[in-house]
Amino acid sequence: MKKTLLLAFVALVAGIVASQAFAAKPFTQATGDIYMSNPSQQATFDVFDYGTTGDRGSVTYTNFDYPGGLTYTADVICANVDSAGHVAWFTFQIPDGFPGLSGLYVEVKVTDGGWPGAGNDNWGHAATGSAADGKNWCNTKGGGTTDYSIVGGNLVVH
């Protein structure tokens, strides 16, 4: 009897653990590797909107025309992905090591207009010194970004 109860308990626990492992949290995402002009820039990003459970992702940004060069990788602090509308808003902070820029929060809005990215997709960004403003902008699908022409690569909002 004890053995049967123990086996039943082990099977129950195993079933619960397995269901938790395979019950992935739903998310929407935006990904891309794009090149822009005026100035010459590249952005590679993976942004995951997990709703209220915490957003994730990273952005690697390069401005080829910035004096002395500018390249950094930053973690996303807010993501708001509208997969049906093919638009995503996300915010990240420029890391230390870039005098005059470090600590700024960059607010990005991307629009997936189809393949190829050049002539169809859109990247726009703006900056603020306030984390609260950057998160609010992201969460409310803010506007006011400066748009840049995408000349290569592609982005996808899904």
Side-chain angles (χ1 to χ4, degrees):
M1 179 75 166
K2 282 184 175 179
K3 207 177 217 182
T4 304
L5 286 174
L6 180 61
L7 287 174
F9 178 74
V10 169
L12 176 66
V13 170
I16 291 171
V17 170
S19 69
Q20 294 288 329
F22 293 108
K25 294 178 182 175
F27 66 89
T28 51
Q29 70 184 73
T31 60
D33 185 8
I34 56 173
Y35 294 86
M36 298 159 280
S37 63
N38 298 321
S40 179
Q41 306 165 79
Q42 179 184 12
T44 303
F45 58 93
D46 292 301
V47 177
F48 304 93
D49 179 356
Y50 282 88
T52 59
T53 63
D55 301 324
R56 297 177 187 93
S58 66
V59 177
T60 299
Y61 174 82
T62 300
N63 184 324
F64 299 103
D65 294 341
Y66 193 83
L70 175 66
T71 298
Y72 57 79
T73 298
D75 292 329
V76 169
I77 63 166
C78 178
N80 191 340
V81 179
D82 176 359
S83 58
H86 306 286
V87 182
W89 297 260
F90 54 94
T91 301
F92 60 89
Q93 185 179 31
I94 298 175
D96 290 338
F98 304 97
L101 298 174
S102 293
L104 289 176
Y105 293 87
V106 179
E107 307 157 337
V108 178
K109 177 184 177 186
V110 294
T111 306
D112 180 358
W115 179 265
N120 293 309
D121 294 343
N122 189 66
W123 165 286
H125 69 248
T128 181
S130 165
D133 288 347
K135 287 181 181 180
N136 183 57
W137 177 91
C138 171
N139 288 321
T140 62
K141 302 178 181 179
T145 59
T146 300
D147 293 336
Y148 295 92
S149 298
I150 294 177
V151 297
N154 192 48
L155 65 88
V156 180
V157 178
H158 48 117

